[in-house]
Amino acid sequence: LFDCSEFTITLTTNCKKEGKMKMIGDLVHAFIEGSGVEIPTKVSEARTDVARVLIGEMSSLFVLGEDGKSSRYCALVAEVCKDEEARNILTAESTVIEGIHKALFESAHAFNDTERDGNASATSVAVVTQCLRAIGNLCFDNDKAREHLRETGGVAALSEALKCLVKISSSSSSSSDCNELFQLPGSLATAGPGSILNATGEMTDFVKDLIQAGVVKSLMWMLGHAGNDSERTMTFQALMRFSTFDEALPDIASEEGTSALISALEHCEDEEDANDLSSIFQRIAGKDELLALLCVHGLVERLLSIAMTSNATIHPRAKVVAAVTVSILMSCDALLDDLLWKDERRESTLNMLMKWVGDGDNHDMNVAGLVGIGNICRSDENARILGQVDGLIATVIERISHEYSFVQHPALGTLKNLLKLQDNRSVAIRVGCVPVLMKAANDPQAPIQYLVCSLLRSLCLSGDKDVLQQLAGDSVFVERILHLSKSEVAAARCEAMRLIAELIKISRDSAIVVPLILEHNCLDVLSRMLDEEHLVLVMECSVALVIVSAMIPCRPALVESGVIEKTLEKIKSIEQLEFALNLMSMYLQLCSDESSAIPPQIVQAISTCIETNFANHENDIAQQQAAKVLQQASLFLEHS
């Protein structure tokens, strides 16, 4: 009885299931055949069962002259793929997605191949729309579907479809007219970008294939001609899938593309989208071959209009992005010469930048102003002009003490460009630049540390004794620089080393040099400079060593540090003649020592090295210097 009961129950269940599947199959078939416009409610409620039925209805995609069936089939696929299990059923094999993208290609290509510019039939529009929706939903969070799409040639279909959408959108007939005739779910204007958005995912190779197929160019057109915020947002999100790829930048930076980006900025309602636009503008501006495409006067004027507007409908972040972009574009000399820095416009440009820098309530605008000033003063002539502007240098220095490093960094960079000129250095010193920079040296970020050390080194070049004493006489500061000279970040480490060497080179004053050597062990810095791969550091070190060796109190430390022996090895391997001449000047002073600080064995080592490597050198100056060293070494050894 148990077996019989179980059989009866199973049979009844199977019968019910078969009946249900037959009912669903009939509904699906009837819908595809066109018996109704709306998708039946029962179909939507049984998505996994519908998915199984749809696999068997693939032939509906390829019925010649029956585009309506193809669009209805794809509409069902798009609907059932809202369910993850149904999506997995339909993408277990490549059959369904391959059939859909082939139907998409055929329909889109047929329309693109016509010479007419529009008047697409409602049915052809529906096929393209629903195929795109189906592909987008099949690929949603589904890498297997994406792989099937790419491996079976879906790239060409997507490219052809977007070209079709552009052609339809630019025609005299609109998609809304078509929808009145054939009202299926979905919007033509968002179906293309939405499909691209879901189909690409994180698949780098797929994205590159789509770029090569011209998809970005179509997206840029659609972005520039979006009819509403929904279309603009969807298209922009799709575009962002490509924005980080260099291969896409030429299409993004085209004349039509850049205009579309600025239009998107004008209509931007979201801070995240504004930041994404900023990253695109900066990537374009970062490519020398593309920079000029953004520097078209009309585009720059539109950006300035956004940046300077008082219109409350413009998002505040969009104003910042526009201002920063214009400031970055000021790195283009042609734009400055032909537009922003022309005589009749120079004052207004400068006033605008100073207003941005001085805006105490908007840190981002501070950055825009600083970047713009920094780019303008890249040339010595412009640095001279800006240095004479009352309060400009002081305002820039004030921003170095800003609470946010993203403001400090451009302030330091701008000041670096200004301090190329001695007159500007004098102004900076007079308005209190040195203590501000000394304090900024404590910043934990390597880029800030690098710029601070570089600027202080530049101020040392002024030769101002008060500055040199202020730097070298502050033990806490010197120890901080010594700490930075051991940084793991090469830029910060090297610039800190150069600052120590510069203090020694420029001062040439025992009151400054001797404490640096004896109290702070700066010989350790000079010794490590000899090991750096950059020749400029080695050369600056050799000059500093000449000065240190001239100061008798420092000579015992020179001997104990092992620096002399290290230079004897370096002089053999570094071919730069100036380096050898500097070291021979140091050796000459050491061999002239009468304080008994230099052991005879070191002098003998110097003599042997110079005799071997420079006594018969091809350069006359090197030979003469070597002869002097050898003569003095001989006298020293005889005396000892």
Side-chain angles (χ1 to χ4, degrees):
L1 290 174
F2 177 77
D3 291 339
C4 180
S5 174
E6 184 181 51
F7 173 76
T8 303
I9 293 170
T10 303
L11 181 62
T12 303
T13 303
N14 287 339
C15 288
K16 288 182 178 178
K17 185 174 183 180
E18 288 175 5
K20 178 184 176 184
M21 290 300 293
K22 184 177 185 308
M23 180 193 70
I24 291 174
D26 291 343
L27 286 171
V28 167
H29 187 72
F31 178 78
I32 291 174
E33 289 296 325
S35 63
V37 173
E38 295 294 333
I39 295 175
T41 304
K42 291 182 179 180
V43 168
S44 299
E45 292 174 351
R47 291 190 176 106
T48 55
D49 291 329
V50 175
R52 294 184 178 92
V53 172
L54 285 171
I55 293 175
E57 292 283 345
M58 280 297 298
S59 59
S60 301
L61 285 177
F62 304 106
V63 179
L64 294 177
E66 296 285 350
D67 284 350
K69 292 184 179 181
S70 297
S71 65
R72 294 177 189 281
Y73 179 92
C74 291
L76 283 176
V77 171
E79 174 63 30
V80 301
C81 281
K82 294 175 182 177
D83 179 86
E84 183 177 1
E85 185 179 351
R87 196 158 60 240
N88 291 336
I89 291 171
L90 288 170
T91 57
E93 303 293 336
S94 63
T95 310
V96 172
I97 201 165
E98 182 178 5
I100 291 174
H101 79 62
K102 284 182 177 179
L104 173 63
F105 181 84
E106 289 177 6
S107 184
H109 182 69
F111 180 75
N112 290 340
D113 205 32
T114 60
E115 293 184 2
R116 57 197 172 91
D117 290 331
N119 300 317
S121 70
T123 305
S124 62
V125 170
V127 172
V128 173
T129 303
Q130 299 307 325
C131 284
L132 286 168
R133 288 186 65 242
I135 290 173
N137 286 4
L138 283 165
C139 291
F140 178 76
D141 198 24
N142 192 332
D143 284 342
K144 180 178 284 189
R146 293 164 182 157
E147 290 169 4
H148 289 330
L149 180 62
R150 180 174 181 245
E151 291 169 358
T152 58
V155 169
L158 290 174
S159 173
E160 197 72 15
L162 287 196
K163 291 175 184 175
C164 176
L165 297 190
V166 169
K167 189 172 183 181
I168 293 173
S169 298
S170 60
S171 68
S172 57
S173 82
S174 67
S175 59
S176 61
D177 296 333
C178 300
N179 284 338
E180 288 178 5
L181 298 174
F182 195 80
Q183 294 182 11
L184 282 173
S187 164
L188 176 66
T190 57
S195 180
I196 294 294
L197 193 62
N198 285 348
T200 50
E202 302 299 326
M203 298 179 67
T204 299
D205 291 338
F206 197 0
V207 171
K208 290 183 177 180
D209 290 345
L210 289 169
I211 293 171
Q212 192 171 2
V215 164
V216 174
K217 190 175 295 184
S218 297
L219 286 174
M220 294 309 299
W221 191 96
M222 295 172 73
L223 180 65
H225 295 80
N228 54 54
D229 290 339
S230 176
E231 294 174 12
R232 189 176 296 107
T233 299
M234 182 67 77
T235 305
F236 182 68
Q237 288 176 352
L239 178 65
M240 287 306 297
R241 285 280 195 266
F242 304 90
S243 64
T244 58
F245 292 82
D246 288 346
E247 297 90 336
L249 285 180
D251 287 335
I252 294 175
S254 65
E255 182 176 352
E256 189 171 53
T258 50
S259 179
L261 292 174
I262 295 174
S263 294
L265 189 63
E266 290 168 336
H267 294 88
C268 183
E269 296 183 346
D270 182 84
E271 184 169 338
E272 184 177 350
D273 286 349
N275 289 334
D276 287 339
L277 282 164
S278 179
S279 68
I280 295 176
F281 285 131
Q282 290 183 42
R283 281 180 55 76
I284 294 173
K287 302 286 183 182
D288 291 341
E289 65 275 18
L290 300 178
L291 176 62
L293 298 176
L294 265 180
C295 291
V296 176
H297 291 190
L299 297 178
V300 174
E301 296 288 13
R302 286 175 65 189
L303 287 169
L304 284 171
S305 177
I306 297 171
M308 301 294 289
T309 186
S310 57
N311 189 340
T313 62
I314 300 293
H315 195 283
R317 188 62 189 171
K319 297 179 184 180
V320 170
V321 171
V324 171
T325 301
V326 170
S327 294
I328 292 173
L329 296 181
M330 289 180 183
S331 63
C332 176
D333 292 333
L335 179 64
L336 289 177
D337 295 340
D338 299 338
L339 183 65
L340 298 178
W341 206 239
K342 291 179 70 173
D343 290 342
E344 63 272 19
R345 189 156 180 177
R346 181 178 298 172
E347 184 177 355
S348 64
T349 297
L350 184 56
N351 289 339
M352 174 186 72
L353 294 174
M354 287 295 289
K355 179 181 178 181
W356 292 350
V357 174
D359 189 341
D361 298 324
N362 196 325
H363 314 308
D364 296 307
M365 279 301 195
N366 295 163
V367 172
L370 290 165
V371 170
I373 293 172
N375 277 330
I376 290 174
C377 66
R378 286 173 298 116
S379 76
D380 287 354
E381 174 59 20
N382 286 340
R384 182 189 63 77
I385 293 171
L386 290 172
Q388 294 173 351
V389 175
D390 186 37
L392 185 144
I393 291 178
T395 301
V396 172
I397 291 171
E398 184 182 341
R399 288 291 173 257
I400 294 173
S401 300
H402 199 280
E403 59 181 314
Y404 295 124
S405 61
F406 71 84
V407 179
Q408 288 178 296
H409 192 275
L412 290 163
T414 297
L415 189 62
K416 192 171 189 290
N417 284 352
L418 286 166
L419 297 194
K420 293 180 296 182
L421 305 183
Q422 176 59 37
D423 288 347
N424 290 350
R425 291 184 201 129
S426 299
V427 174
I429 293 169
R430 188 172 66 250
V431 297
C433 182
V434 176
V436 172
L437 290 174
M438 290 173 70
K439 182 178 179 180
N442 294 311
D443 193 279
Q445 299 178 74
I448 302 290
Q449 296 163 1
Y450 159 76
L451 286 169
V452 167
C453 290
S454 179
L455 283 164
L456 288 171
R457 191 170 59 82
S458 177
L459 291 176
C460 287
L461 294 174
S462 67
D464 189 305
K465 290 291 184 182
D466 291 337
V467 171
L468 297 171
Q469 187 58 55
Q470 194 173 359
L471 296 175
D474 189 320
S475 297
V476 174
F477 171 76
V478 173
E479 289 299 322
R480 174 60 179 168
I481 300 304
L482 291 176
H483 174 73
L484 296 182
S485 75
K486 298 176 183 179
S487 171
E488 294 181 358
V489 180
R493 178 181 70 248
C494 292
E495 210 59 33
M497 289 177 168
R498 296 182 73 189
L499 175 56
I500 292 295
E502 205 70 54
L503 282 170
I504 294 171
K505 286 163 48 185
I506 300 299
S507 69
R508 298 174 181 265
D509 183 348
S510 60
I512 290 176
V513 175
V514 173
L516 288 175
I517 299 301
L518 300 185
E519 296 176 18
H520 298 288
N521 190 25
C522 286
L523 274 175
D524 176 63
V525 175
L526 300 180
S527 176
R528 286 186 282 110
M529 286 181 77
L530 290 170
D531 296 325
E532 291 288 338
E533 60 181 13
H534 299 291
L535 186 59
V536 65
L537 270 77
V538 178
M539 291 297 299
E540 291 177 359
C541 171
S542 67
V543 176
L545 285 173
V546 173
I547 294 167
V548 172
S549 66
M551 299 184 180
I552 295 175
C554 296
R555 289 176 181 172
L558 267 174
V559 173
E560 293 172 10
S561 67
V563 170
I564 300 172
E565 290 86 341
K566 182 180 281 190
T567 62
L568 291 173
E569 292 300 317
K570 291 292 181 181
I571 201 171
K572 300 173 188 176
S573 58
I574 296 178
E575 298 179 358
Q576 195 78 11
L577 181 60
E578 288 81 1
F579 177 71
L581 293 174
N582 287 339
L583 290 186
M584 283 194 278
S585 295
M586 179 182 76
Y587 299 150
L588 186 60
Q589 292 182 133
L590 295 177
C591 292
S592 303
D593 181 72
E594 298 178 355
S595 66
S596 302
I598 309 300
Q601 59 268 29
I602 288 183
V603 176
Q604 183 61 61
I606 291 172
S607 178
T608 302
C609 176
I610 299 303
E611 174 70 33
T612 304
N613 296 283
F614 295 95
N616 298 307
H617 198 275
E618 60 184 13
N619 183 276
D620 292 341
I621 298 176
Q623 274 195 40
Q624 294 168 12
Q625 188 76 343
K628 293 178 182 178
V629 173
L630 291 172
Q631 180 182 11
Q632 195 60 47
S634 177
L635 291 173
F636 181 99
L637 293 171
E638 287 177 10
H639 177 73
S640 63

